[in-house]
Structures are given as structure tokens and as C-alpha cells.
Amino acid sequence: MSAVAEPLASAASQPALSWPTDGSKAAIGADGYGVLASNTNETPIPTASIAKVITALSVLRQKPLNVGQQGPTLTLTEADVQSYRDYLAQDGSVTLVAAGEQITEYQVLQAMLLPSANNMADTLAVWAFGSMQAYHTFATSYVKQLGLAHTTIGPDASGLSPLTTSTPSDLVQLGIIAMRQPIIAEIVHQKSATIPTAGTIYNNNRMLGTNGVNGLKTGYSDQALGCILFAANYSPEPGTNFTLVGVIMGAKTLGQAFSSGATLLQSAKNNFAKEQVVQKGQALGSVYVPWLRTSVPLFAHESLSAVVWNHGITPADVHITPITDAVAKNTPIGTATFTSGTTHFEVPVSVGQAIAKPMTWWRILHW
């Protein structure tokens, strides 16, 4: 049997968000809610070093690490030293290396994600996949598997090439995925680290440690300008905790990206609130009982409150278990699912009146 739910009114409107004022592109989302809002038409533009998040995810798919592991040791070669020189000549972000240097996979990830070393991104990709072309092939397929339909991988693993492009919404989804990866989440939360040859390296993310920010990745190039993909831990209510993810692309400076990101983050937090999703006894539709030739009303069996974004709750989707026997009044016979973003909330659904057992003759004819 099926039930038709009565629409639940939603007060959702355009959220009050503080978008960048310098023309840069931005989006905001949250784990469990998906992409919540964007200020752009989502035309792909260069990502700069935010691309290194894709590199990290790809490498960890190919060469997995568990928390607490350093992973295999790489022996750097003259080719890695030349990569350092080449990126230095392009005024790219680099970390000093030496031929014969012994460095672990984890330490290379740190060098790539904290000071944003372009040379270490390429070194890691070639080590994990055998060649830059093999990395490119894998990463191109991988971003599509992740649902990043508007993201294109350029010829390097660092993001310095302007041919690595994406959109704010794609990058918010990327950030949500990345913060679920324990190694990445651990590294991007570090303010500094010590690695061979280079010594102490520092995290470029100046948003880190403010307003709950616990990651994620900065970027800057002549074509992409200032970019920041940020993640923040947020607890709007006791016992409720999730990760907010936002992005600023194309800011005039990296400092402006940080400032715009901080303002957007705070305004996004103001759009979450704990609200009554459904009240006990609230009508949620009806179910047709064929042997009675009538519909029986359905009601919420209990109340439910939840943290929602911008007051937005979809109408209930009601599912009823098959009824084959007598059912007493107020007995749960299914569930109603409410949705805010990509988060689902369920409450039991009960009948508003007793349902008599089907008559013998009816069962013989219909079962």
C-alpha cells in the first residue's frame, strides 16, 4: 500500500550570506548538506594550488595510508631536484630537496599541502603512478567518479598550470570529500611540520585556527589569483557537529581571499538553526485500505527537531509497510522522511484510526 504525504510548508528563502565584494567567485556547503549556495554561474576557472587536494586524494587511493603510518620511503633523484629548479624559475611555491634524500609518503604529503610545494606535488604523482601522464589519466577519471563534472585536470599535479580548472560548487564538494579522508584532514590541520632537507615547513592557511577552521588549502597564481578552500568544524547545538566547507576563487590577493572566506563562513553559520521539523500528531497524508474501501489518516508518531539550513525542509516522503492484519489506532506502520540538504530525518508514522482485519472472502479473492 502507498501513502500520499501532505506537503509540509517550508519557510526557505534566499539565505543571508556575505559574498565577496571584489568580484571573486564563492560557494558554501557542509558535510551532510551538500553545496548550499553559490554566487556564480559556475563557469570553470583556474584552481591554482587547490588542485593539490585532488593530487592528495588520488595518491592516497593509489598508495593508501592509515593514521599513524608514514608509508613507503621515497628516494629523491636529480629529476626531483630539477623539478624544484624549474618551479623556482617560474616563481612557484617550492620545498628544498636534494638528490638521494630519503622522505616518506606522509612527509611529501605534508610538503605538498602545508607550504604548497609544487615540486613535491609532481614528485608524489610520478612516484605513485609512474608518470605524469598516468597520473593525469587517473585523476581525470577520478574527479568524474567523485561527481566533479566541471573539473578538468591540467598537465601538472600542482595546479600551477591554468589548464587545471574547476567551479566553486565542485570545489566545495571536493573539500567535503577531502575532509572525510583521515590523513588529509590530519595534515591540513597542522600549523607546521619537520621534513628532511627543508627542515621546518609552515602551513600557508592563515584562516587556520580561527572560527573553527581546521583546513584546507590555499592557492595563488597569476591566472587564478587568490584562492582558499576552507573547512571549519561547527557545533550549532550541543551534540550536533559537522564540517562547513567554503571556497573563494579569483580574489585580487590571497589576503583578500582569507578575509572574504572568514566573512562568508560566519554568515553561513548564521543560517543554521535548530527547528521543529514535525510535531507529534501532525497529519502526514493517508493510506487507502482496499477491503474497507476508504482511506485512513496518517500522523507523525513523535515530534522531531533538527538543525536545518535556512529553514529549508522538504515535504515528507512517506513509506508504509504492507498491511495484512488488523492494526490498532496510533500504531506505527511506516516512516516519514524529511530532508534538509542531503541530510535525512525519519519519524515513525501511525494510523489515526483502527484498521479491521481483512475479511476471509476478501483474502481469498485478493491474496
Side-chain angles (χ1 to χ4, degrees):
M1 296 183 180
S2 61
V4 179
E6 294 179 351
L8 180 70
S10 174
S13 58
Q14 285 298 108
L17 291 168
S18 298
W19 296 113
T21 57
D22 64 347
S24 53
K25 302 182 186 303
I28 193 76
D31 196 353
Y33 295 81
V35 177
L36 296 167
S38 174
N39 75 340
T40 175
N41 61 5
E42 301 293 324
T43 300
I45 58 177
T47 67
S49 288
I50 293 176
K52 293 182 175 77
V53 178
I54 298 172
T55 307
L57 283 166
S58 298
V59 168
L60 287 167
R61 287 275 293 189
Q62 185 77 353
K63 304 286 188 179
L65 286 179
N66 293 323
V67 173
Q69 292 181 333
Q70 285 288 313
T73 297
L74 290 70
T75 300
L76 302 190
T77 68
E78 185 58 38
D80 298 305
V81 176
Q82 187 59 49
S83 177
Y84 164 81
R85 295 190 188 113
D86 291 343
Y87 273 117
L88 190 63
Q90 298 175 72
D91 199 28
S93 300
V94 292
T95 293
L96 184 64
V97 296
E101 175 183 335
Q102 302 280 300
I103 185 169
T104 67
E105 178 184 354
Y106 186 88
Q107 290 171 325
V108 181
L109 284 164
Q110 288 177 307
M112 181 179 72
L113 293 172
L114 300 185
S116 197
N118 292 332
N119 59 314
M120 292 305 226
D122 284 1
T123 288
L124 193 61
V126 172
W127 167 76
F129 293 92
S131 69
M132 190 58 68
Q133 182 56 51
Y135 165 73
H136 180 274
T137 299
F138 177 89
T140 296
S141 174
Y142 185 44
V143 295
K144 302 312 178 199
Q145 292 175 31
L146 295 177
L148 310 182
H150 305 292
T151 298
T152 300
I153 306 299
D156 58 36
S158 67
L160 185 61
S161 168
L163 297 180
T164 297
T165 60
S166 190
T167 65
S169 289
D170 266 19
L171 292 185
V172 165
Q173 294 179 70
L174 175 68
I176 291 171
I177 293 165
M179 292 304 288
R180 293 174 184 166
Q181 213 293 336
I183 296 293
I184 294 177
E186 178 180 86
I187 290 175
V188 297
H189 196 202
Q190 297 167 351
K191 292 189 175 182
S192 64
T194 301
I195 63 172
T197 305
T200 303
I201 55 176
Y202 298 94
N203 197 324
N204 287 344
N205 186 359
R206 296 211 310 264
M207 289 181 69
L208 193 68
T210 63
N211 205 12
V213 174
N214 53 3
L216 207 147
K217 190 71 194 71
T218 63
Y220 186 88
S221 70
D222 291 342
Q223 295 84 6
L225 302 178
C227 304
I228 176 68
L229 176 62
F230 60 86
N233 188 53
Y234 184 40
S235 299
E237 292 287 332
T240 302
N241 186 70
F242 55 88
T243 298
L244 276 167
V245 174
V247 67
I248 306 293
M249 302 179 73
K252 293 179 180 178
T253 66
L254 189 52
Q256 183 60 50
F258 291 141
S259 176
S260 295
T263 303
L264 176 60
L265 172 60
Q266 185 55 54
S267 68
K269 289 183 175 182
N270 295 337
N271 281 274
F272 284 96
K274 188 173 184 179
E275 297 183 1
Q276 186 88 42
V277 175
V278 65
Q279 293 184 333
K280 182 177 180 179
Q282 181 175 331
L284 292 176
S286 61
V287 59
Y288 181 74
V289 183
W291 59 87
L292 299 180
R293 297 183 180 179
T294 188
S295 293
V296 174
L298 300 171
F299 297 93
H301 193 68
E302 58 191 43
S303 297
L304 172 69
S305 295
V307 173
V308 301
W309 164 262
N310 191 37
H311 314 293
I313 291 290
T314 62
D317 182 16
V318 179
H319 292 274
I320 304 303
T321 56
I323 301 172
T324 59
D325 208 338
V327 179
K329 182 179 179 180
N330 297 327
T331 298
I333 62 167
T335 59
T337 302
F338 300 86
T339 304
S340 179
T342 57
T343 300
H344 304 291
F345 312 101
E346 289 188 350
V347 294
V349 171
S350 57
V351 290
Q353 68 186 57
I355 299 176
K357 183 177 181 178
M359 294 70 74
T360 301
W361 66 265
W362 192 94
R363 284 181 300 187
I364 292 172
L365 291 176
H366 296 87
W367 290 355

